[in-house]
């Protein structure tokens, strides 16, 4: 059963305190110069603390050479990175611990020519596209706001401009656009600088964005459930406005199924997944992707589909926050602004919520959000928790009714189960444990605090 629910959200929420602590704190039993990478990573991110003389369980193990380290550590930080850190000696239970407090730096910090960055609880070396994006951001620039020196107005597609203007007029966010020339529109959208074309204009309106940036295309593949056997594939190329329509059309014609039903005499043919969810997934991927990285990829399976785009979440946003009201932190703000004014997106960080709500309203499982391989994945699942499928698993009628009743809520407790079906707590726990064994639920907690979440 490929079904997901609120489990990932609740699980992340329960761990939020632990995760946030580890994100800014490191414990080291002893000092090694390799720990300078953590110092560099903290300086390039949100800052943090390193405690030397504590093990991974935050238990004091002490330092025998604390006097020497108190001289060596500040000097090594200053000499290798050109920054200062607050280094303090603390005594606990008769043993010594060194506390290193690193403040975030407004400029990029390197360690022996290499750049490190703290993301979550991991310190990673930045290379390639990630390094370029980091350096741009630290200097107050973003990739999309940079001028493309080789581009001219001849590289802008007039038909795409017309499509954009029609939608902008419908939405009403861009006044006084009647009679504007292409250059005047680009200037109004802040897609030019001193008459030169910015990168955002190329990926949004360009005739051939791939001529400037080779990975602007999108790959679509139909896969077996083994993840590597591919049945067939397509590739869509063009600017964002073109590619959005092309992908939706290709998915409709070749990759997805329309389920036919009737309402009265009217024939209804909805796609397997809500079109709202598909469009929001694609817009999020195309607008917020790292255009210096790998191309956007769409994988379609018999029971699910996902969209992956290069570029992880902003450091100020966590996965649990995505499923709640949150502020918008676009990777490509110039591009996002133009898409907002044209009516393609909202500026309130509501895209993910639209995906989730449209799936739940369609009776589908909770979409899955995940960071993977330096990128971000949104996965949609078909509704496999149907009465027919559950009967095939040999469930009793209480279990079937419980899944159909509680799946939209995403969770159930044994006491709720016992009360609803008028059975003992023991019977409720037996039924729910059986659903865990059949991998339909995930158990969290013990005794009265136990909750069962849909997978």
């Amino acid at each position: 059963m490929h079904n997901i629910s609120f489990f990932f959200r609740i699980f992340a929420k329960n761990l939020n305190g632990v995760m946030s602590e580890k994100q800014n704190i490191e414990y080291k039993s002893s000092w090694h110069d390799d720990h300078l990478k953590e110092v560099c990573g903290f300086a390039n991110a949100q800052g943090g603390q390193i405690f030397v003389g504590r093990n991974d369980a935050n238990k004091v193990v002490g330092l025998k050479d604390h006097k020497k380290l108190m001289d060596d550590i500040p000097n090594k930080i200053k000499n290798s990175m050109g920054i200062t850190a607050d280094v303090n000696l603390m005594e606990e239970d008769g043993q010594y611990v060194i506390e290193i407090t690193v403040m975030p730096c407004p400029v990029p910090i390197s360690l022996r020519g290499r750049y490190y960055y703290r993301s979550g609880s991991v310190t990673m070396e930045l290379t390639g596209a990630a390094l370029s994006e980091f350096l741009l951001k630290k200097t107050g620039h973003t990739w999309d706001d940079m001028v493309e020196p080789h581009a001219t107005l001849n590289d802008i597609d007039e038909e795409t401009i017309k499509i954009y203007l029609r939608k902008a007029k419908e939405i009403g966010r861009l006044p006084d656009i009647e009679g504007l020339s292409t250059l005047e529109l680009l200037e109004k959208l802040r897609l030019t600088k001193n008459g030169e074309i910015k990168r955002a204009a190329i990926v949004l309106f360009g005739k051939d964005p791939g001529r400037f940036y080779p990975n602007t295309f999108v790959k679509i593949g139909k896969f077996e459930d083994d993840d590597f056997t591919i049945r067939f594939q397509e590739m869509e190329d063009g600017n964002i406005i073109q590619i959005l329509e092309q992908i939706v059309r290709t998915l409709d014609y070749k990759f997805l199924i329309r389920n036919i039903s009737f309402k009265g005499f009217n024939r209804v043919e909805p796609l397997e997944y809500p079109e709202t969810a598909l469009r929001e997934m694609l817009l999020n991927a195309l607008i917020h992707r790292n255009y210096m990285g790998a191309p956007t990829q769409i994988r379609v399976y018999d029971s699910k589909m996902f969209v992956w785009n290069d570029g992880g979440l902003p450091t100020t946003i966590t996965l649990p926050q995505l499923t709640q009201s949150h502020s918008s932190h676009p990777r490509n703000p110039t591009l996002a602004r133009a898409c907002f004014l044209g009516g393609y997106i909202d500026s309130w960080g509501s895209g993910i919520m639209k995906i989730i709500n449209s799936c739940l309203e369609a009776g589908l499982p909770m979409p899955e959000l995940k960071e993977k391989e330096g990128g971000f994945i949104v996965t949609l699942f078909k509704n496999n928790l149907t009465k027919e499928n559950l009967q095939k698993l040999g469930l009793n009628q209480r279990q079937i009714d419980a899944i159909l009743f509680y799946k939209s809520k995403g969770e159930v407790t044994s006491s709720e189960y016992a009360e609803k079906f008028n059975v003992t707590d023991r019977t409720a726990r037996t039924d729910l444990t059986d659903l865990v064994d059949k991998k339909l639920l995930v158990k969290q907690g013990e005794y009265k605090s136990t909750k069962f979440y849909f997978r």
Side-chain angles (χ1 to χ4, degrees), residues 13 59 73 76 78 107 112 124 182 217 223 234 239 249 274 326 396 407 435 443:
K13 183 178 181 181
K59 182 179 179 181
I73 292 175
K76 287 181 177 181
K78 183 177 181 180
V107 297
R112 294 184 285 274
M124 63 182 71
T182 296
F217 63 91
F223 287 82
E234 294 288 344
N239 61 53
R249 190 162 52 246
H326 63 277
N396 63 46
K407 68 178 181 179
L435 295 178
K443 180 182 176 182

Side-chain angles (χ1 to χ4, degrees), residues 184-196:
E184 289 170 335
L185 175 65
L186 296 181
E187 289 174 345
K188 190 177 184 68
L189 295 173
R190 301 177 189 170
L191 298 180
T192 63
K193 183 177 181 179
N194 299 326
E196 294 186 283

Side-chain angles (χ1 to χ4, degrees), residues 96-119:
Y96 290 99
V97 173
I98 292 178
E99 176 195 52
I100 306 169
T101 302
V102 184
M103 299 300 293
C105 292
V107 297
I109 302 300
S110 66
L111 173 64
R112 294 184 285 274
R114 297 176 181 271
Y115 292 85
Y116 297 90
Y117 190 86
R118 182 74 169 192
S119 178

Side-chain angles (χ1 to χ4, degrees), residues 166-379:
R166 283 198 296 270
K167 189 170 182 64
K169 190 174 182 180
E170 291 174 7
I171 208 72
R173 293 176 182 165
L174 195 59
D176 304 323
I177 56 176
E178 290 292 340
L180 290 182
S181 67
T182 296
L183 179 59
E184 289 170 335
L185 175 65
L186 296 181
E187 289 174 345
K188 190 177 184 68
L189 295 173
R190 301 177 189 170
L191 298 180
T192 63
K193 183 177 181 179
N194 299 326
E196 294 186 283
I197 309 297
K198 291 183 180 180
R199 290 169 172 170
I202 298 297
V203 297
L204 184 59
F205 298 127
K207 292 178 181 177
D208 184 13
R211 185 168 72 86
F212 298 93
Y213 321 116
N215 287 335
T216 54
F217 63 91
V218 175
K219 296 196 297 185
I220 314 173
K222 178 75 174 188
F223 287 82
E224 301 285 355
D225 286 338
D226 59 16
D227 266 343
F228 59 84
T229 302
I230 187 167
R231 297 181 189 173
F232 50 86
Q233 59 186 322
E234 294 288 344
M235 186 183 78
E236 299 295 348
D237 209 349
N239 61 53
I240 288 177
I241 294 174
Q242 294 170 337
I243 216 169
L244 175 64
E245 298 305 321
Q246 291 166 193
I247 292 173
V248 172
R249 190 162 52 246
T250 299
L251 288 173
D252 187 2
Y253 290 166
K254 192 169 183 178
F255 289 84
L256 301 179
I257 297 171
R258 286 189 177 271
N259 299 307
I260 300 174
S261 61
F262 289 87
K263 285 188 176 181
F265 292 102
N266 297 320
R267 178 179 171 126
V268 181
E269 298 183 54
L271 278 172
E272 295 173 288
Y273 306 101
E275 290 195 33
T276 297
L278 293 175
R279 285 185 174 273
E280 289 296 330
M281 288 170 67
L282 294 172
L283 283 167
N284 276 338
L286 295 172
I287 294 171
H288 301 306
R289 61 162 292 189
N290 177 2
Y291 275 94
M292 296 179 289
T296 297
Q297 300 170 33
I298 302 174
R299 287 178 172 243
V300 181
Y301 301 82
D302 287 339
S303 59
K304 65 181 180 181
M305 68 168 290
F306 71 71
V307 176
W308 177 90
N309 66 286
D310 204 333
L313 291 175
T315 56
T316 50
I317 297 290
T318 64
L319 281 173
Q321 287 174 332
L322 280 180
T323 62
Q324 307 164 11
S325 177
H326 63 277
S327 56
S328 177
H329 298 265
R331 168 174 279 103
N332 301 303
T334 302
L335 179 60
R337 178 181 180 274
C339 289
F340 167 74
L341 292 175
Y344 287 88
I345 62 171
D346 290 325
S347 64
W348 299 98
S350 59
I352 293 296
M353 290 307 301
K354 286 183 179 179
I355 295 171
I356 292 173
N357 290 339
S358 63
C359 286
L360 295 181
E361 287 172 2
L364 300 184
M366 179 79 171
E368 182 184 51
L369 315 176
K370 186 167 58 175
E371 289 189 278
K372 183 179 180 181
E373 298 172 357
F376 185 68
I377 294 178
V378 180
T379 304

